[in-house]
Amino acid sequence: MNAKIIGTGWQLPAYEADNDYLSTLVETSDEWITERTGIRKRHLAKEETTTSLAAGAAKKALADAGLPAEEIDLLIVATITSDTVTPSTACRVQAELGAVHAVAFDINAACSGFLYAVHMADAFIKSGVYRKALLIGAETLSKLVDWTDRGTCVLFGDGAGAAVLAASDQGGIAAQSLGSNGSKWEVLSCMGRPNGNPVCREQREPGYLQMNGQEVFKFAVKTVPLCIEDALEKAGLSPDDIDHFLLHQANKRIIQSVAKRLKQPEEKFPMNIGQCANTSAASLPILLAQMKEQGRLHPGEKLVLSGFGAGLTWGACVMEW
Ligand code: UT7
């Protein structure tokens, strides 16, 4: 039995901030942001929360799969922006959906989080422990961003995407390749709350997202093609066999570089970075769900999903739609 995606959904906050709006906050321009990243606008949470976006995307994914929430036995939310430190976003989404039979928990693997969730769900489904999983990538990165830092604040957006996976004897996930390198944790990080206990009394402000953009860029263009090739080799396929490469939407230039290294036409690499910016763990499931909604995915087609992010973490997944 393989794990196969049988439904998808996405949800973005209503408020849209274009590049011109950001140039009223920091010294930047539409031209710089568009040329260096491909981003034209992003959605920012005003009323929405990570939980509400996650639940919104999840409801659509369940409806798309034609499944009642009670049938889900595993519910994972990939996020680094949970509204509550505890309980998990997954438990709050479970309550909102009425997914009463699900084991629910969050995972933190930053922008690779959705792929890590797919990795876990695939193993659980293959082993027969669970049969139907709801996986959500949901973020409100806007609350971790330093809105005075032009090097990061222009890059990120808020949103959520979800996918329902079920055991199937046709198609589904064929192979995966994931990795982590904690020795590079400082190139992209966000410190937690300072410890105010009476013996420590840590003197610092709560953390904001900080990043060495060029280091992350170099890591991504080197590692993503390698892990895609590794996953393809495990699946017995070559890049030419793949219909769509869905890559984490962090920078258009990273995606173009990966296409070049894999010797594949850019048309095989769909992008929504122009409209959504980098939504971290939500980026891959949003792109997947939008493609499904637009009728761009057909049964039997072969897909690669691949991402990278803080940790450092990375991953690739090969599947038949
Ligand atoms: O999910 C994973 C998350 N992160 C990523 O994937 C990020 C990967 N890295 C990148 O996408 C790129 O490195 C960035 C988009 C972050 C930066 O692009 P870059 O081409 O690497 O620019 P840079 O950092 O080399 O900066 C070039 C110049 C600098 O000015 P000087 O020193 O040449 O005068 C920056 O200060 O651009 C300046 N700059 C900006 N200018 C206008 C940096 N940010 C901005 C900005 N607007 N927003």
Side-chain angles (χ1 to χ4, degrees), residues 292-307:
K292 166 126 200 281
E293 194 177 73
Q294 293 158 7
R296 293 164 67 189
L297 301 175
H298 306 100
E301 282 186 331
K302 296 195 172 56
L303 274 59
V304 164
L305 272 59
S306 181

Side-chain angles (χ1 to χ4, degrees), residues 183-260:
S183 72
K184 293 274 185 194
W185 72 270
E186 281 172 311
V187 302
L188 179 47
S189 68
C190 181
M191 299 301 286
R193 282 162 33 146
N195 188 345
N197 85 39
V199 293
C200 177
R201 293 190 203 283
E202 199 181 358
Q203 295 298 310
R204 63 173 177 82
E205 295 297 313
Y208 286 109
L209 201 78
Q210 67 80 36
M211 174 176 75
N212 181 334
Q214 290 190 2
E215 279 291 314
V216 178
F217 194 100
K218 279 188 268 176
F219 148 71
V221 297
K222 189 173 157 213
T223 309
V224 171
L226 291 178
C227 76
I228 290 177
E229 280 165 353
D230 187 46
L232 284 172
E233 196 181 323
K234 287 180 188 165
L237 297 170
S238 85
D240 291 344
D241 297 319
I242 301 301
D243 298 288
H244 309 282
F245 292 87
L246 281 73
L247 264 52
H248 171 47
Q249 303 286 297
N251 188 319
K252 187 179 178 181
R253 289 186 295 138
I254 294 176
I255 297 169
Q256 289 168 330
S257 165
V258 174
K260 211 169 158 189

